[in-house]
Amino acid sequence: MENTQLIEARTSHTSGLLTGKVAFVTGAGRGIGAAAARLFAREGARVVLAARTEAQLKAVTEEIRAAGGTADYVVCDLADTGSVRAAVDRTVQLYGRLDVAFNNGATLQRPGPMDALPEADFDEVYTVNLKGVWLAMVAEVAAIRATAGTGAIVNNSSVGSLRGNPELPAYGAMKRAVNSLTESAAVTYGPEGIRVNAIAPGNTLTEMIRAWEAESPGLQERLTAVTPLRRAAVPEEIAQAAAWLLSDRSSFVTGTVLRVDGGARA
């Protein structure tokens, strides 16, 4: 009887996907992260935006507030352990709890074969795209456990993690490792009621992919040709998938890497 009541409570929806939840979003100053912060606020969450560039964070935060949402921001460098922990702690200080987190922040490598990538560049991609996600998850699990008790985390991966990636080998490798961290965290923290999933976006119109295209002319045409929907995604389409996975409507989903790629890996 108790299980039935719990399921009914989780699947009875009269408001936004994230109403009543406190959400933490990294890489929130632009692209998918900014779209997610706006969407999460529209879906009822109180949102803390984190990224390195304060001007971008301030602009998105003010936009959310002007639209009637609740948001604040904290400058955060995913390559810095103390900065990541302080950002999550600041979320709890501001709103008293943490329910959900979207680990979206990442950096791109210069496109090219692995033997042409400088070691310093490899180290940066590792530090931000893998270690930064690990640091964030560790801090988020601790915050959820100490406040909300249960919650959900979504990591932003990439379809480039799902097979060989000759143009972005280090980026793809780190994102594949994020998939593994996601699955391990799901198994580890599921018994506590903390769900952990990842999304794997395909071609999405962000500053990051435009930077890639600047180094690889014709990229959009090539990516569109292998996408059955024959177009790129806009950032909000990716954010919608993250919002669903963070919401109670996906209450029996954990340990999955959800492709959001227009069918490119079908």
Side-chain angles (χ1 to χ4, degrees):
M1 184 65 175
E2 289 182 0
N3 286 342
T4 301
Q5 290 173 339
L6 177 61
I7 291 169
E8 288 176 349
R10 287 180 172 175
T11 56
S12 177
H13 308 290
T14 58
S15 54
L17 276 173
L18 300 172
T19 295
K21 297 187 184 297
V22 173
F24 176 71
V25 181
T26 69
R30 62 182 187 173
I32 294 169
R38 296 185 192 101
L39 174 64
F40 294 178
R42 290 199 305 273
E43 291 290 348
R46 292 170 288 172
V47 186
V48 174
L49 295 76
R52 288 185 300 175
T53 306
E54 185 170 12
Q56 293 177 340
L57 289 171
K58 184 177 181 181
V60 179
T61 299
E62 290 177 349
E63 182 182 344
I64 291 170
R65 290 172 176 171
T70 301
D72 213 312
Y73 70 85
V74 58
V75 176
C76 175
D77 182 355
L78 291 175
D80 183 280
T81 302
S83 181
V84 174
R85 290 175 178 167
V88 175
D89 288 345
R90 179 60 176 158
T91 302
V92 175
Q93 291 168 4
L94 284 167
Y95 297 121
R97 61 190 291 127
L98 178 65
D99 298 280
V100 299
F102 180 34
N103 296 318
N104 164 75
T107 190
L108 187 68
Q109 70 160 100
R110 176 172 292 182
M114 68 174 67
D115 60 301
L117 185 69
E119 184 177 354
D121 290 4
F122 180 93
D123 289 344
E124 180 185 13
V125 175
Y126 158 75
T127 301
V128 176
N129 293 7
L130 179 56
K131 184 179 178 181
V133 172
W134 171 71
L135 289 171
M137 281 201 292
V138 169
E140 290 154 4
V141 166
I144 291 169
R145 181 187 282 150
T147 60
T150 62
I153 296 170
V154 170
N155 298 318
N156 202 359
S157 181
S158 168
V159 292
S161 73
L162 302 177
R163 67 182 187 188
N165 196 334
E167 284 198 75
L168 303 174
Y171 181 86
M174 302 313 161
K175 291 296 190 178
R176 185 174 294 195
V178 166
N179 298 345
S180 180
L181 278 181
T182 297
E183 293 165 349
S184 295
V187 172
T188 303
Y189 304 113
E192 298 180 46
I194 299 174
R195 297 184 299 106
V196 187
N197 292 289
I199 54 173
N203 181 20
T204 307
L205 297 175
T206 63
E207 292 86 345
M208 184 177 287
I209 208 154
R210 293 186 183 101
W212 180 10
E213 186 166 28
E215 298 280 345
S216 304
L219 175 68
Q220 278 297 331
E221 288 79 3
R222 297 197 304 274
L223 294 178
T224 299
V226 298
T227 303
L229 291 184
R230 293 295 187 267
R231 65 175 179 85
V234 297
E236 182 166 314
E237 291 179 292
I238 309 303
Q240 291 280 0
W244 179 73
L245 284 172
L246 291 172
S247 78
D248 292 340
R249 297 189 199 182
S250 63
S251 57
F252 202 59
V253 181
T254 196
T256 195
V257 179
L258 176 64
R259 297 196 313 269
V260 193
D261 65 353
R265 293 294 182 269

